[in-house]
Every structure is written in C-alpha cells, then in structure tokens.
Amino acid sequence: MTGSASRYPDVYAQSIRDPEGFWREAARGIDWFEEPRRAFDPALGIYGRWFPGGVTNVCHNAVDRHVANGRAAQPAIFYDSPVAGAKRTVTYGELQTEVSVLAGVLRELGVGKGDRVVIYMPMIPEAVFAMLACARIGAIHSVVFGGFAAAELASRIEDAQPKVVLSASCGIEPSRIVTYKPLLDLALTMAKHQPEACVVFQRPQVEAKLQPGRDHDWAALREKAIAGGMAAECVPVEATDPLYILYTSGTTGKPKGVVRDSGGYIVALRWSMEGLYGVEPGEVFWSASDIGWVVGHSYIIYAPLLTGCTTVLYEGKPVGTPDAGAFWRVIEEYKVAALFTAPTALRAIKKEDPDGVLMRDYDRSSLRTLFLAGERADPDTVEWAQNKLDVPVVDHWWQTETGWAIAGNPVGLGALPIRVGSTGVPMPGYQVDILDEGGHPVGADRMGSIAIKLPLPPGCLPTLWRQDERFRESYLEEFPGYYKTADAGFKDGNGQLFIMGRTDDIINVAGHRLSTGGMEEVLAAHADVAECAVIGIHDELKGEVPCGFVVLKAGVVRSPADIETEIIALVRERIGPVAAFRLAITVNRLPKTRSGKILRGTMKKIADAEPWNMPATIDDPSSLDEIAAALNARGLAKVSAA
Ligand code: COA
Ligand code: AMP
C-alpha cells in the first residue's frame, strides 16, 4: 500500500540494510564536539550502544547552536496559560540567557555532571529552563508529573537520589490550585534520601513556605547569579551519558526509571521532526501534552528546539479553559503547523462540540497535520477529526521506553495513504515482529505479542536506572533477541501495524499510563480488605478507567460503602488524582481459576459487555455471575466516569 511518491520504502530499507550508514548520516543533523567512533557498537551495554566516542551537549544543540546561527530573535517558546491568564514569548536569545543563568545556579548548589536533579513543576517556561539547564551542565533530570501524589514523588526521589529538587509553589487545574510545596515536603518526609537543596519558583497564585537552610527562592538565586555573572557554559558529555531518567508505570507499584542517553536520542528526534512530522526549522510545533510525560520531553522540549522550531507550552485543557475551542484558538494565534495530542483530548472536544461549531471561529489554515498517540485512537474519533478539521490525522505508536515513535505515517518522507485504526508502518531502525507464545513470527492479520528485534534504534532506552537486571527481565528475556513491547496487535498484509492493547496489567487512562498492579497494592493495604482486583474498563471519554473489586476480611462489620469511599481516597492519596480511581465495588469473592489465579481478563470483558467464554479452569462459574450482578447493580455494564 505504499504511496508511489513516498520515499519511505527506500529510507526504511536502508535503515535496516545499513544502520551504521543510515544513522551516521542522520547524526549530521546535530553538532558534535567530537565525532563518534562509529554509529553503533554491539559490544557495549546490554544490547549495544549508539554513537560511542561521540561528544556533544544537548542544550548546545537545542539552544546555543540556533543563537549562533541567527535565530536569537526567533521565538523558541510560546507559553500560553488560560488557567493562569498568562502568555509569554521566549526567544532563543532569552532562552540561552535564562538557561545558562539557571545552570549557573545549579552549579553553585554543587550540581555537576552525572548528578540527578528532580523537577517537580507545572507547565511554565521555568520548567523548560530547568530541563535544559541540567542538560547544559551534564546533570541528569528526572521530571515528575504534577498529578502524582506525594508517595509517588517520594519513590522517584528515593530511586533517583537527586542532589537538588527544582519545584514551584503550585500548579493550576481548572477546578483547583495544586499546591506543590506541601506535597514536596511530605514526599521528603517519606523518602530516606534527602536532596541538599530545593529551589522553589514562587508563582503569583500561591506563596510556598520555604524551609530555612534547605529551600531557596528561585527568583532570588536567579538575581544573585545574574549580578555575580555566574552563567554556565555547555559542558561536553559523552553520547552515551544519560540525559534524563523518566519514571513510568511497571507491573508493580515500583516505577521503572527509563534511562535516556544523550547522543542517540537527539539524533533520532532530529530525524523524526523532518522525516516523520514533516516540520522544518522556523515552524511552530505544538505538543498538547505535559512535560511530565515522555511526549512532553521529546516533543514539547527536545525535538522542536533541536530543530530550531518554536514550541507551544500550553498550560490548559482541551475543554473548559474556557471551552472546546481552546485548541483552535492556539492554532490560530501561534500559526501552529503540526499538533500532537492524545485521542482522549479529541474525544473531550467532540463531546462538547460534536458539530465543530467552535472550530469555525478560528483560522486553522496553518495546520497541516494532526498527530495522535498515547492510547488507542478509536476510528470514530479519528474520522470525526479528519472530517471536521480537514487535515490528515496520523496515529502513531510509541512508549516511554522508546522515546520516539516505533510506527507512524512518515509525513515528511511523503505520506502513505492513511488506514484508520492502524498506527502506520515501522520507523527507521525498528524491526517489528508479531510473535506467538513460542516467540515465532506469525503471519499477516494474526494477533500476537509485538516485539522489536534488537538492537533498538537510537533514542530508545539502553537500560533502567541502576537496574540492568530488571531491564533484562522485563523486556529482553521472554523473546530472546527481541525487545518485548508488552503490546498486542497485528500487522496487515501491507505491513501496517494495529495496536490492540497491553499484554500486562498496564492501563491507559486519558492517555496516562497506570499500573493496575500498583493500585491493587494500595487497595490491599486497607485494613479491612482481604483481597482485591483492579481492572481497566472501557470509558467513552478516557478510553479506560480503573475499577477495583474488593473482598472484605471476615468479621468486618463496617459499611462497605464507607470502606469503598476510603479506598477511593487512599488511591488518590497514594498514587494521585491522575489515577482517576472512582469505582470501588465490594464483592463476596473474586472469580478464580482452580489454581487461584484471578480471572481479570474475563471480568473486564463482562464489564465492557464484550463476548466472553467461560474459562475451562474456573473454580466456580457462578462467581462470574456475581461480578456481572455487582456491575449491573451500579449500572456499570458500560460505564462513563465523566
Ligand atoms: N497536576 C495536578 N493534577 C492533575 C494534573 C496535573 N498536571 N493533570 C491532571 N490532574 C488531575 C485532574 O485535575 C483530575 O483531578 P480531579 O480528580 O480532582 O478532577 C485528575 O488528575 C484526572 O485528570 P485527567 O485524567 O486529565 O482528567 P480531567 O477530567 O481533568 O480531563 C481530559 C480530561 C480528557 C481533558 C484530559 O485528560 C486531557 O487533556 N487528556 C490528555 C492527556 C494527555 O495529553 N496525555 C499525554 C499523553 S500524549
Ligand atoms: P507511555 O509509555 O505512557 O507512552 O504509554 C505507552 C503505551 O501506550 C503503549 O505501550 C501502548 O499500550 C499505548 N499506546 C501509545 N500510543 C498508542 C497508539 N497510537 N495506539 C495504541 N496504543 C498506544
């Protein structure tokens, strides 16, 4: 099904035939202080390392290089915050100044190459300065999403062991102000590891209380650094040095620290901007995500800035800030060429403005392509967007682990015809196979586990932070020679991929990746709970929402409704509001196999009103009727959590 005009077939074939030559050529898109010895060395690391011997600096490539090349006056960031009522344009010249001053502040606080810095901040320009300032001095940042609870922040601090934490007084949600500092203080009472310093940016909405000795006022340090001429220059780092750690949900409550290297990542991102997204230097790119997620790291910050684009930093929602026309306003105002968002955002807009009336109020002529990722894009929503917006809607598939798309429609190489429901074809360097349980590739149109042949291309994780063994066990052991994506799906006869769901207990709630295993750990910690099961059930808006079933301990006489309320509060307290855990149901027992395995898959099918077969190994078939009855009693056969 390849479009005759597309260069994709040749480009992809070259990337597989001659990876060394392909990625060496791509590496010319960035500045090196010292050229790599070779593109890939299979003898290094766990499955090989990209660009060994190469010396570069990510901040130099994202900022200084553009200033030196005449982009000082070009906007680097359009910050737009309907929730704060604020807008700000930051040019590349200003970005260089701010980042080098903040890098100087970090250096004064003792942060050096390889030290970790946790960034717990909302979507404000200072958060971008913070990430780039770390990159400038070779420190490793670890950004924690604002919607997580203190305990999640604590576990990340414990694992990353940061020298410094950068934070802000608050985030702003449409319904409330999220005071970050008390959450940070609480997290630091939970973590054994203590940073040497916390630097807090005071937003006008809330003034955070600073703890003398440990906490510093961001603005005061900035002023002092400017007065003292403390700006820091870019330090050379190895291509294989980590740029960041980004924690993502694993199958237990303990998150996985995905490590991103420096050289391979920026080569891949730079290639993707032109090859996949079809966006050129000087254009405006908008990723309506959050800096706490991988999409934010790669496509709010690094890829657009590496390319000399202007990135939009939008602190708002697709609806309610103030209405479902918000995205179209931003496109008009900043002349956005490409928008990247999650399907759930479109579903939210479609729900409020099904006829696209608000779209007509804005000039969207700058928009060439809409990209979707983060969760399965349902064909209805894709078609709705395509019809209403009259631009190609490109679904593409990737994971925190890969850092950029595994598969998509390479618009920059000449778009292939769009097949709604498919996430397109593999990007350069990715050899994607569909495997059966024995690890053998299956034929076209057959469902299986999706795996990527090693080595992974540049940009993908080389390991998990200080957990090489967990990396091997989680991703490399089940299918030798492959990286296991833990997604299931199939390829059609033309090599187009269809991603149908996870093979583990990860669920996707409004584009946010969450572990039901992690939630079960929280439920099980309630004093009255004997056992529990959490499943993701279909939701019209969020794609999936978690639903927890609990069996109470014998002799508990308290009202199940009270216990359910406590459980819901507990998940919010331990994992955070982002879990959107609002459904807890008490049952007398859980359906199990004779060997005691909880039948979560069948429970999910019942909740989603999908066809299901009685599992041959079930202990007592009537236990499933009880689940159906419990769901029906709540009117939850097809639930919407909105
Ligand atoms: N800081 C603090 N809290 C946050 C937060 C943040 N950065 N982001 C979300 N939350 C909170 C919300 O306020 C909400 O809290 P509540 O229970 O008190 O209402 C909760 O987490 C759930 O948030 P969310 O799932 O985002 O639902 P929502 O109802 O606020 O908004 C959508 C629904 C569809 C508009 C929203 O989910 C959305 O824009 N999703 C896009 C997701 C996305 O871009 N993902 C990135 C992958 S590409
Ligand atoms: P995250 O690591 O948060 O980016 O989540 C990655 C997971 O989200 C993948 O493993 C998939 O299960 C899912 N996902 C991401 N993009 C898509 C897509 N385009 N279609 C279907 N599922 C997707």
mmCIF file of all heavy atoms in Angstrom, residues 82-104:
data_model
loop_
_atom_site.group_PDB
_atom_site.id
_atom_site.type_symbol
_atom_site.label_atom_id
_atom_site.label_comp_id
_atom_site.label_asym_id
_atom_site.label_seq_id
_atom_site.Cartn_x
_atom_site.Cartn_y
_atom_site.Cartn_z
ATOM 1 N N PRO A 82 -4.228 29.545 29.720
ATOM 2 C CA PRO A 82 -5.561 30.052 30.058
ATOM 3 C C PRO A 82 -5.868 29.904 31.543
ATOM 4 O O PRO A 82 -6.645 30.696 32.083
ATOM 5 C CB PRO A 82 -6.493 29.184 29.205
ATOM 6 C CG PRO A 82 -5.698 28.011 28.755
ATOM 7 C CD PRO A 82 -4.262 28.427 28.774
ATOM 8 N N VAL A 83 -5.240 28.961 32.226
ATOM 9 C CA VAL A 83 -5.568 28.794 33.652
ATOM 10 C C VAL A 83 -4.903 29.856 34.527
ATOM 11 O O VAL A 83 -5.426 30.221 35.583
ATOM 12 C CB VAL A 83 -5.242 27.373 34.185
ATOM 13 C CG1 VAL A 83 -6.222 26.352 33.641
ATOM 14 C CG2 VAL A 83 -3.806 26.965 33.903
ATOM 15 N N ALA A 84 -3.764 30.367 34.079
ATOM 16 C CA ALA A 84 -3.110 31.430 34.859
ATOM 17 C C ALA A 84 -3.429 32.804 34.266
ATOM 18 O O ALA A 84 -3.039 33.829 34.829
ATOM 19 C CB ALA A 84 -1.597 31.216 34.873
ATOM 20 N N GLY A 85 -4.076 32.820 33.117
ATOM 21 C CA GLY A 85 -4.326 34.095 32.430
ATOM 22 C C GLY A 85 -3.008 34.735 32.020
ATOM 23 O O GLY A 85 -2.829 35.951 32.113
ATOM 24 N N ALA A 86 -2.063 33.911 31.557
ATOM 25 C CA ALA A 86 -0.734 34.448 31.235
ATOM 26 C C ALA A 86 -0.264 33.975 29.867
ATOM 27 O O ALA A 86 -0.612 32.876 29.422
ATOM 28 C CB ALA A 86 0.265 33.989 32.302
ATOM 29 N N LYS A 87 0.518 34.816 29.213
ATOM 30 C CA LYS A 87 1.168 34.448 27.954
ATOM 31 C C LYS A 87 2.566 35.026 27.994
ATOM 32 O O LYS A 87 2.787 36.082 28.585
ATOM 33 C CB LYS A 87 0.429 35.066 26.756
ATOM 34 C CG LYS A 87 -0.925 34.469 26.485
ATOM 35 C CD LYS A 87 -1.595 35.152 25.307
ATOM 36 C CE LYS A 87 -3.025 34.641 25.180
ATOM 37 N NZ LYS A 87 -3.767 35.290 24.109
ATOM 38 N N ARG A 88 3.495 34.339 27.349
ATOM 39 C CA ARG A 88 4.857 34.856 27.303
ATOM 40 C C ARG A 88 5.574 34.261 26.097
ATOM 41 O O ARG A 88 5.434 33.058 25.835
ATOM 42 C CB ARG A 88 5.589 34.467 28.590
ATOM 43 C CG ARG A 88 7.032 34.903 28.648
ATOM 44 C CD ARG A 88 7.635 34.497 29.993
ATOM 45 N NE ARG A 88 9.071 34.724 29.994
ATOM 46 C CZ ARG A 88 9.911 34.297 30.932
ATOM 47 N NH1 ARG A 88 9.443 33.625 31.969
ATOM 48 N NH2 ARG A 88 11.203 34.533 30.858
ATOM 49 N N THR A 89 6.302 35.088 25.400
ATOM 50 C CA THR A 89 7.129 34.582 24.310
ATOM 51 C C THR A 89 8.581 34.629 24.769
ATOM 52 O O THR A 89 9.040 35.660 25.266
ATOM 53 C CB THR A 89 6.951 35.462 23.050
ATOM 54 O OG1 THR A 89 5.587 35.370 22.643
ATOM 55 C CG2 THR A 89 7.839 34.987 21.909
ATOM 56 N N VAL A 90 9.275 33.518 24.604
ATOM 57 C CA VAL A 90 10.691 33.458 24.978
ATOM 58 C C VAL A 90 11.483 33.224 23.691
ATOM 59 O O VAL A 90 11.286 32.201 23.027
ATOM 60 C CB VAL A 90 10.964 32.301 25.967
ATOM 61 C CG1 VAL A 90 12.433 32.275 26.381
ATOM 62 C CG2 VAL A 90 10.057 32.395 27.189
ATOM 63 N N THR A 91 12.333 34.164 23.326
ATOM 64 C CA THR A 91 13.135 33.972 22.107
ATOM 65 C C THR A 91 14.291 33.012 22.405
ATOM 66 O O THR A 91 14.619 32.752 23.575
ATOM 67 C CB THR A 91 13.732 35.296 21.621
ATOM 68 O OG1 THR A 91 14.644 35.755 22.628
ATOM 69 C CG2 THR A 91 12.665 36.350 21.347
ATOM 70 N N TYR A 92 14.926 32.543 21.343
ATOM 71 C CA TYR A 92 16.094 31.675 21.550
ATOM 72 C C TYR A 92 17.186 32.416 22.328
ATOM 73 O O TYR A 92 17.865 31.830 23.176
ATOM 74 C CB TYR A 92 16.631 31.151 20.208
ATOM 75 C CG TYR A 92 15.970 29.845 19.804
ATOM 76 C CD1 TYR A 92 14.961 29.816 18.852
ATOM 77 C CD2 TYR A 92 16.347 28.645 20.392
ATOM 78 C CE1 TYR A 92 14.347 28.621 18.483
ATOM 79 C CE2 TYR A 92 15.742 27.448 20.046
ATOM 80 C CZ TYR A 92 14.746 27.436 19.084
ATOM 81 O OH TYR A 92 14.150 26.245 18.754
ATOM 82 N N GLY A 93 17.332 33.719 22.052
ATOM 83 C CA GLY A 93 18.339 34.502 22.779
ATOM 84 C C GLY A 93 18.035 34.544 24.268
ATOM 85 O O GLY A 93 18.911 34.329 25.121
ATOM 86 N N GLU A 94 16.748 34.812 24.583
ATOM 87 C CA GLU A 94 16.347 34.848 26.001
ATOM 88 C C GLU A 94 16.469 33.465 26.635
ATOM 89 O O GLU A 94 16.853 33.330 27.796
ATOM 90 C CB GLU A 94 14.896 35.339 26.122
ATOM 91 C CG GLU A 94 14.734 36.813 25.806
ATOM 92 C CD GLU A 94 13.290 37.221 25.503
ATOM 93 O OE1 GLU A 94 12.445 36.337 25.244
ATOM 94 O OE2 GLU A 94 13.024 38.421 25.483
ATOM 95 N N LEU A 95 16.148 32.453 25.855
ATOM 96 C CA LEU A 95 16.238 31.092 26.385
ATOM 97 C C LEU A 95 17.686 30.776 26.767
ATOM 98 O O LEU A 95 17.957 30.215 27.834
ATOM 99 C CB LEU A 95 15.722 30.098 25.328
ATOM 100 C CG LEU A 95 15.649 28.627 25.729
ATOM 101 C CD1 LEU A 95 14.712 28.427 26.914
ATOM 102 C CD2 LEU A 95 15.158 27.765 24.552
ATOM 103 N N GLN A 96 18.604 31.186 25.910
ATOM 104 C CA GLN A 96 20.018 30.933 26.210
ATOM 105 C C GLN A 96 20.422 31.624 27.518
ATOM 106 O O GLN A 96 21.092 31.042 28.370
ATOM 107 C CB GLN A 96 20.891 31.433 25.058
ATOM 108 C CG GLN A 96 22.353 31.073 25.233
ATOM 109 C CD GLN A 96 23.201 31.634 24.097
ATOM 110 O OE1 GLN A 96 22.985 32.763 23.648
ATOM 111 N NE2 GLN A 96 24.145 30.854 23.631
ATOM 112 N N THR A 97 19.955 32.877 27.677
ATOM 113 C CA THR A 97 20.306 33.619 28.898
ATOM 114 C C THR A 97 19.723 32.920 30.129
ATOM 115 O O THR A 97 20.433 32.650 31.106
ATOM 116 C CB THR A 97 19.756 35.059 28.820
ATOM 117 O OG1 THR A 97 20.257 35.638 27.625
ATOM 118 C CG2 THR A 97 20.147 35.885 30.013
ATOM 119 N N GLU A 98 18.420 32.622 30.061
ATOM 120 C CA GLU A 98 17.763 32.028 31.234
ATOM 121 C C GLU A 98 18.372 30.675 31.597
ATOM 122 O O GLU A 98 18.589 30.362 32.764
ATOM 123 C CB GLU A 98 16.258 31.860 30.982
ATOM 124 C CG GLU A 98 15.481 33.164 30.900
ATOM 125 C CD GLU A 98 15.544 33.978 32.189
ATOM 126 O OE1 GLU A 98 15.778 33.396 33.263
ATOM 127 O OE2 GLU A 98 15.377 35.215 32.120
ATOM 128 N N VAL A 99 18.630 29.885 30.580
ATOM 129 C CA VAL A 99 19.136 28.530 30.836
ATOM 130 C C VAL A 99 20.559 28.592 31.381
ATOM 131 O O VAL A 99 20.909 27.864 32.322
ATOM 132 C CB VAL A 99 19.051 27.679 29.547
ATOM 133 C CG1 VAL A 99 19.791 26.365 29.719
ATOM 134 C CG2 VAL A 99 17.599 27.422 29.180
ATOM 135 N N SER A 100 21.365 29.482 30.838
ATOM 136 C CA SER A 100 22.754 29.498 31.332
ATOM 137 C C SER A 100 22.820 30.074 32.747
ATOM 138 O O SER A 100 23.640 29.635 33.557
ATOM 139 C CB SER A 100 23.699 30.212 30.359
ATOM 140 O OG SER A 100 23.173 31.431 29.971
ATOM 141 N N VAL A 101 21.910 31.007 33.071
ATOM 142 C CA VAL A 101 21.880 31.530 34.448
ATOM 143 C C VAL A 101 21.430 30.422 35.417
ATOM 144 O O VAL A 101 22.056 30.195 36.457
ATOM 145 C CB VAL A 101 20.942 32.766 34.543
ATOM 146 C CG1 VAL A 101 20.646 33.117 35.991
ATOM 147 C CG2 VAL A 101 21.555 33.947 33.813
ATOM 148 N N LEU A 102 20.367 29.713 35.042
ATOM 149 C CA LEU A 102 19.884 28.652 35.933
ATOM 150 C C LEU A 102 20.925 27.528 36.054
ATOM 151 O O LEU A 102 21.104 26.953 37.133
ATOM 152 C CB LEU A 102 18.543 28.109 35.418
ATOM 153 C CG LEU A 102 17.845 27.096 36.323
ATOM 154 C CD1 LEU A 102 17.578 27.655 37.715
ATOM 155 C CD2 LEU A 102 16.525 26.638 35.698
ATOM 156 N N ALA A 103 21.612 27.260 34.963
ATOM 157 C CA ALA A 103 22.680 26.257 35.020
ATOM 158 C C ALA A 103 23.761 26.722 35.995
ATOM 159 O O ALA A 103 24.318 25.919 36.757
ATOM 160 C CB ALA A 103 23.264 26.028 33.628
ATOM 161 N N GLY A 104 24.025 28.031 35.991
ATOM 162 C CA GLY A 104 24.995 28.591 36.942
ATOM 163 C C GLY A 104 24.514 28.425 38.374
ATOM 164 O O GLY A 104 25.293 28.090 39.279
#
